[in-house]
Amino acid sequence: MRGKFITFEGIDGSGKSTQLRLLADDLRFRGFNVLTTHQPGGTPLGRRLREAFLETEENVAPMAELLLFAADRAQHVEFLIKPALAEGKIVLSDRYADATTAYQGAGRGFDAKTIKQVIQLATGGLKPDLTLFFDLPVSIGLQRTNKRDAMGELKNRMDKENSEFYDRVRQAYLEIIDKEPRRFRVIDAMLSVEEVHAKALEILTEYLKK
Ligand code: TYD
């Protein structure tokens, strides 16, 4: 039986990575075979691409950025996600192709057709079965990532973007949700970690019952 492909999306600071870890623990406890992963960086090659891109001081051409995320995704789909799905696993991925639509499309300004083509090339058309969107006002997301920075956690290239950039990114996510409401569940990420977790677990439990 094919597994389930579930992705986690949201602007930076939305808390999706913490939620992914908590949900993976719950599902494993219940006996599900779970693979957790993330983009960029879910494979050894992806981790090198992520480092090369997110941590360089040099200017990166927007097209190079778009294609680096696509290269990371192609490797990830081929060697990690597809095999895990074929083995019947539940794959939980911290970000996937919607991030490219939001960040490179709306954020950087690539047109919809180019974005669609690049996503199709990288994924071969593999789409998530379910996407959890952790929604947060941009001002709060920025406060959270700035706090991370003040605590000495590495700030990446994207974390340096301003609130107009993140407004476009969040808006783009909301537009994708509008177009594909059946694939998405929106969770209010302003709530406490425990409350968000309870909500997300309820959604996943309901989804996996089917
Ligand atoms: P990272 O620190 O790896 O993860 P996160 O912030 O998701 O916990 O940073 C990844 C950054 O890359 C994040 O700001 C989102 C961005 N990104 C894109 O711009 N396009 C993409 O296709 C993906 C997957 C991520």
Side-chain angles (χ1 to χ4, degrees):
M1 196 189 79
R2 182 187 179 274
K4 290 278 175 228
F5 182 26
I6 300 171
T7 59
F8 289 55
E9 298 281 356
I11 59 169
D12 295 78
S14 61
K16 63 189 165 37
S17 310
T18 305
Q19 295 299 331
L20 189 151
R21 275 196 298 276
L22 295 171
L23 286 172
D25 287 347
D26 290 326
L27 294 182
R28 287 190 179 118
F29 185 72
R30 293 181 186 183
F32 288 102
N33 198 348
V34 179
L35 174 81
T36 61
T37 185
H38 50 98
Q39 284 189 4
T43 62
L45 174 65
R47 278 188 281 285
R48 296 176 74 179
L49 292 172
R50 179 185 181 283
E51 243 174 62
F53 165 64
L54 288 173
E55 290 165 23
T56 182
E57 297 293 323
E58 135 194 47
N59 272 334
V60 177
M63 182 53 87
E65 173 180 312
L66 176 66
L67 295 177
L68 277 168
F69 281 115
D72 166 72
R73 185 161 303 127
Q75 182 79 357
H76 197 215
V77 165
E78 197 57 33
F79 291 113
L80 211 65
I81 301 178
K82 275 190 183 166
L85 290 174
E87 287 168 21
K89 291 185 181 163
I90 296 183
V91 177
L92 304 180
S93 182
D94 190 345
R95 299 193 187 281
Y96 186 62
D98 296 324
T100 284
T101 307
Y103 283 79
Q104 281 64 55
R108 297 282 186 239
F110 280 102
D111 64 278
K113 190 167 161 231
T114 304
I115 292 288
K116 244 181 133 169
Q117 280 173 339
V118 169
I119 290 176
Q120 174 63 32
L121 285 171
T123 64
L126 178 72
K127 280 205 142 200
D129 297 300
L130 180 75
T131 300
L132 304 183
F133 180 67
F134 295 87
D135 194 25
L136 193 71
V138 167
S139 56
I140 308 287
L142 286 173
Q143 265 175 33
R144 290 187 185 173
T145 49
N146 285 336
K147 207 155 114 198
R148 272 184 209 163
D149 189 31
M151 283 162 58
E153 285 182 37
L154 203 63
K155 232 173 138 72
N156 70 47
R157 156 181 306 279
M158 292 295 178
D159 288 343
K160 292 186 186 119
E161 292 299 335
N162 60 21
S163 63
E164 287 80 47
F165 178 89
Y166 278 104
D167 277 332
R168 293 200 298 279
V169 169
R170 176 166 176 266
Q171 211 43 51
Y173 273 124
L174 297 179
E175 281 167 26
I176 308 172
I177 295 167
D178 248 13
K179 282 190 201 134
E180 295 180 66
R182 288 169 59 85
R183 173 161 68 89
F184 279 91
R185 303 287 184 281
V186 180
I187 299 173
D188 180 0
M190 288 279 281
L191 302 170
S192 68
V193 171
E194 293 76 18
E195 286 167 310
V196 174
H197 174 56
K199 186 81 207 150
L201 183 59
E202 186 188 316
I203 289 169
L204 267 194
T205 305
E206 184 59 33
Y207 178 76
L208 293 171
K209 252 198 245 159
K210 288 182 203 152

